[in-house]
Amino acid sequence: MTKLSVNINKIATLRNSRGGNIPDVLKAAIDVQEFGAQGVTVHPRPDERHIKYKDVYEIRRIIKTEFNIEGYPSPKFMELVKAVKPHQVTLVPDPPEAITSSSGWDTINNLSFLQDIIGELKEYGIRTSIFIDTNPDFIINAAKTDTDRIELYTEPYATGFEKDPEKAIAPFVEAANIANKSGLRINAGHDLNLQNLKFFNEKIPFLKEVSIGHALISDALYLGLERTISMYKELLIKDK
């Protein structure tokens, strides 16, 4: 079964819109764990418009499931993850003003930078993943950074899924095979949902983990968080 990590940023966005502590982000993290998700993901940004840096410290203390922190490796971000020591850090190339992630790393032009960052994280015993597009050259170069995993940026798949699922999935299948041959494990995320997740999971070989936030939290408004997590997990069971 592919593991499900739930990104709880949107819960923090709702909390921050009114101030105070409703909804309670820490309770949400505990609930995600109790309802069966195999991981909790957060993506703190410099302006703290959703997950705040203090949230990250508090979540780390209260959950037992896998903790994945996404973000651009600025000095402040690196200070945070070295102190918190999550199970996994997913490096994304977002500029500070980005609304959401919109592309993966160019691992050719950023090779030495990523090598240095990943080297620092490995000194702290943190598993690393690089957010990346399906460009074969970028994936081959990702292996040169010494990262443990890549996270395939799946927005292009989600956009093309309704029109032509087979065409949409093809570059991701190729990317997964290249990654596996390069010694990389494979995660995926961005715009995966109840409609397109099962097909993606069935078609992508060697898929270890998906990180889903916006769609899952939106579905939970109608279906409830526990039921929604259960539904997503059902889609991640590989058919024999």
Side-chain angles (χ1 to χ4, degrees):
M1 179 179 180
T2 304
K3 292 183 178 180
L4 171 66
S5 186
V6 176
N7 187 319
I8 60 173
N9 274 20
K10 285 297 184 293
I11 294 173
T13 302
L14 183 59
R15 175 200 63 187
N16 295 352
S17 68
R18 287 287 296 269
N21 197 40
I22 299 174
D24 187 334
V25 171
L26 299 186
K27 183 179 186 305
I30 293 171
D31 287 345
V32 163
Q33 174 181 271
E34 294 300 315
F35 295 157
Q38 293 96 345
V40 173
T41 292
V42 295
H43 187 152
R45 285 189 162 87
D47 61 4
E48 298 188 299
R49 63 181 179 269
H50 32 63
I51 287 292
K52 298 181 182 295
Y53 273 57
K54 71 178 184 68
D55 293 329
V56 179
Y57 288 99
E58 292 172 351
I59 291 168
R60 184 68 175 99
R61 288 196 294 267
I62 64 170
I63 63 168
K64 298 177 182 178
T65 193
E66 180 180 285
F67 193 26
N68 172 47
I69 304 178
E70 300 178 345
Y72 180 82
S74 66
K76 184 178 179 182
F77 179 85
M78 292 296 287
E79 180 182 350
L80 172 73
V81 297
K82 287 176 184 179
V84 172
K85 294 183 182 177
H87 301 90
Q88 177 174 267
V89 167
T90 301
L91 302 173
V92 298
D94 291 355
E97 69 276 8
I99 295 174
T100 187
S101 302
S102 58
S103 66
W105 284 98
D106 176 342
T107 57
I108 297 173
N109 289 322
N110 293 286
L111 179 60
S112 61
F113 174 70
L114 289 168
Q115 286 174 330
D116 290 345
I117 292 295
I118 289 166
E120 286 185 49
L121 293 171
K122 291 210 165 187
E123 288 179 6
Y124 284 78
I126 301 169
R127 187 174 78 224
T128 59
S129 181
I130 294 177
F131 198 61
I132 200 165
D133 300 314
T134 56
N135 184 316
D137 292 333
F138 290 168
I139 294 172
I140 291 168
N141 271 272
K144 298 177 183 179
T145 69
D146 201 30
T147 188
D148 302 293
R149 299 187 181 191
I150 58 169
E151 179 174 326
L152 292 172
Y153 168 54
T154 52
E155 190 273 338
Y157 162 74
T159 300
F161 174 78
E162 289 188 14
K163 184 176 180 180
D164 189 339
E166 292 291 347
K167 182 178 180 181
I169 199 70
F172 290 87
V173 174
E174 179 186 12
N177 281 309
I178 292 171
N180 184 63
K181 289 178 182 178
S182 300
L184 298 167
R185 293 196 169 191
I186 301 157
N187 298 343
H190 203 89
D191 287 350
L192 296 174
N193 58 39
L194 288 173
Q195 288 70 49
N196 61 39
L197 179 59
K198 183 176 177 63
F199 185 78
F200 186 87
N201 184 58
E202 289 176 345
K203 293 291 185 177
I204 299 300
F206 317 112
L207 184 62
K208 304 297 291 184
E209 177 182 298
V210 293
S211 176
I212 304 178
H214 182 80
L216 190 151
I217 299 302
S218 298
D219 289 331
L221 294 175
Y222 300 96
L223 304 171
L225 185 59
E226 184 172 10
R227 182 182 174 196
T228 300
I229 288 173
S230 177
M231 291 172 71
Y232 274 85
K233 286 181 65 181
E234 283 291 322
L235 300 178
L236 291 170
I237 297 172
K238 295 276 191 181
D239 292 337
K240 294 182 180 179

